[in-house]
Amino acid sequence: MSYLSSILKRCENMAFSELIGQNEAKERLGASLLSEPGHAFLLVGPAGVGKKTLAREFAKGLLCSHPTKDGGCGKCPNCTYISAGTHPDYKELLLPSGEKNIKVADVRSKILSDVGIMSQIAERKVYLIDADGLAEEGQNALLKTLEEPPKHVVFLLTVSDESKLLPTILSRTVSVRLLPNKEEEVYEVLRKRNEELSEEDAKLYAKFSNGVIGYALGLSESNWLISDWEEVSDLILRLPEISRTELLTDVYNFFDEEREHFPDILSLMSMVYDEMAICATVPDSPCLHGEQKKDKMVTVIKQNHFDAAKIAKCNAILTTAQKAFKANGNFEMIVCRMLLALKKENSNG
Ligand SMILES: [Zn+2]
């Protein structure tokens, strides 16, 4: 089981109100539990934002004998079975790990040939389908059933890139949008899930994840972000005094070793400059760095006359490097040019 799906499994006993954020989506789904829900919903949002977690909770509400607008009651046999992952009227069709697409044969055998069979325990049958895994052929196979589903069937599709869906799929489903969470919400989830995580590290993960909880949780399981963050913030603070030779050997080697994370490292560097911008204007503001590093930051800002204009130029240098990397430019040239340009910008008075 992948890390993310193990997190999702752990979420299965939550009611809507226990899922952090996504209030609008929860309200819409909750309201439809109390009326006659439609036959096909499409949960749209960035990967890792919690679409499947919410869809599972909604499925529980759809199958539950006594649903409220907060989802399933959590006590009836339907809720118990779905929490245990054994409800006979609930099926998931997900992209198998390592595969590019869900096989059309699986769409046929697991969904199309199953929808006509009556439910066993609940009044409905619910199918959760990872539509990101459906190529055009798979979508076409599903289309007819989606157009005229049996009365007892509800489809829950999740997708991060809806532009890959056929217009006919989009027009047959009710879209429910999940937005990235607020930084504080991601922070809250991280601290709840992992009590050993320090306040400082949780803040960094929350900031870096752009509001995507699944991504933040994945980051917090590995070490690279924290160590690279330390490395680049030290580097930026040392830039004015670092020699050109060191820059083009040791420092370059660090970038070369972390090549696979290069876009992330550039984002981290940009976060350091953002911190410097805040620190330059409001020296007392809270800082992602510890106190000791913050003192050093204040000194560097003063000595090298860092101001908003200078920081904007540094960020522009990072953007240029980011674009060149995306366009498959020569890596060594991109990094060395960037480092020299940053050194020049960071050093002059
Ligand atoms: Zn229930």
Side-chain angles (χ1 to χ4, degrees):
M1 194 188 303
S2 77
Y3 175 69
L4 199 57
S5 56
S6 74
I7 295 165
L8 297 172
K9 274 267 180 294
R10 267 182 262 149
C11 297
E12 271 174 6
N13 287 316
M14 294 177 171
F16 284 158
S17 53
E18 285 168 65
L19 298 174
I20 293 172
Q22 308 301 350
N23 292 336
E24 209 184 308
K26 289 192 298 196
E27 234 158 73
R28 282 188 62 193
L29 296 176
S32 71
L33 286 176
L34 300 183
S35 58
E36 189 53 46
H39 285 288
F41 292 83
L42 179 67
L43 277 68
V44 189
V49 84
K51 298 182 293 295
K52 291 191 186 73
T53 307
L54 185 59
R56 287 185 179 110
E57 206 44 57
F58 183 48
K60 195 197 273 179
L62 288 166
L63 296 174
C64 173
S65 312
H66 316 287
T68 67
K69 66 176 178 13
D70 195 28
C73 70
K75 293 175 198 135
C76 72
N78 284 305
C79 287
T80 312
Y81 284 128
I82 199 166
S83 294
T86 55
H87 201 302
D89 301 323
Y90 173 70
K91 297 210 163 67
E92 295 189 353
L93 185 58
L94 306 180
L95 182 66
S97 63
E99 301 275 326
K100 249 179 108 184
N101 293 308
I102 294 171
K103 292 193 183 76
V104 182
D106 286 344
V107 177
R108 295 212 173 92
S109 65
K110 293 182 178 159
I111 310 275
L112 304 185
S113 60
D114 192 69
V115 290
I117 304 167
M118 280 311 294
S119 57
Q120 293 183 42
I121 305 176
E123 285 177 20
R124 300 189 175 100
K125 288 176 90 162
V126 178
Y127 298 90
L128 170 61
I129 303 171
D130 177 3
D132 282 309
L134 287 179
E136 199 173 323
E137 211 188 346
Q139 294 179 40
N140 271 320
L142 193 65
L143 200 57
K144 200 170 170 315
T145 312
L146 214 54
E147 274 171 2
E148 293 169 358
K151 279 203 163 55
H152 63 280
V153 167
V154 179
F155 288 106
L156 307 179
L157 276 61
T158 60
V159 76
S160 52
D161 184 0
E162 58 186 325
S163 72
K164 290 200 181 130
L165 293 183
L166 298 168
T168 35
I169 295 264
L170 294 172
S171 66
R172 300 292 183 280
T173 51
V174 176
S175 289
V176 177
R177 219 157 275 279
L178 278 77
L179 302 172
N181 282 90
K182 294 191 190 103
E183 211 172 294
E184 312 85 84
E185 291 171 342
V186 179
Y187 174 80
E188 200 184 320
V189 175
L190 287 168
R191 295 278 284 176
K192 239 187 185 172
R193 296 281 174 83
N194 184 353
E195 284 164 5
E196 282 165 24
L197 200 62
S198 76
E199 211 175 293
E200 225 169 72
D201 290 356
K203 271 185 193 158
L204 180 65
Y205 291 131
K207 193 173 178 67
F208 195 75
S209 69
N210 288 324
V212 178
I213 287 176
Y215 183 47
L217 286 165
L219 283 173
S220 72
E221 285 286 294
S222 69
N223 220 5
W224 70 264
L225 187 74
I226 299 295
S227 66
D228 282 1
W229 167 251
E230 293 296 330
E231 190 81 30
V232 298
S233 50
D234 280 343
L235 166 67
I236 289 174
L237 296 183
R238 273 193 331 118
L239 261 181
E241 65 215 39
I242 233 165
S243 77
R244 205 183 141 93
T245 317
E246 189 189 341
L247 207 57
L248 300 183
T249 53
D250 291 355
V251 177
Y252 170 73
N253 288 340
F254 159 74
F255 281 89
D256 193 31
E257 278 161 23
E258 294 292 285
R259 201 184 272 231
E260 61 167 319
H261 291 141
F262 186 61
D264 298 320
I265 289 176
L266 294 179
S267 304
L268 284 172
M269 292 173 81
S270 175
M271 274 165 62
V272 177
Y273 283 116
D274 288 347
E275 290 258 286
M276 290 175 86
I278 297 168
C279 203
T281 25
V282 194
D284 286 339
S285 58
C287 178
L288 277 173
H289 291 87
E291 280 308 307
Q292 207 183 351
K293 204 171 268 181
K294 195 177 164 181
D295 290 346
K296 167 90 178 156
M297 192 180 268
V298 174
T299 313
V300 172
I301 289 170
K302 274 190 194 148
Q303 278 174 355
N304 299 283
H305 310 288
F306 266 96
D307 57 14
K310 194 165 187 166
I311 288 166
K313 278 185 197 158
C314 296
N315 273 322
I317 293 168
L318 297 176
T319 309
T320 306
Q322 187 86 273
K323 279 186 190 153
F325 182 74
K326 271 190 190 153
N328 284 323
N330 177 294
F331 184 74
E332 190 173 353
M333 191 127 81
I334 294 168
V335 174
C336 293
R337 265 193 192 152
M338 172 190 82
L339 290 172
L340 291 172
L342 284 176
K343 178 170 169 57
K344 189 167 169 238
E345 194 54 55
N346 285 211
S347 311
N348 64 25

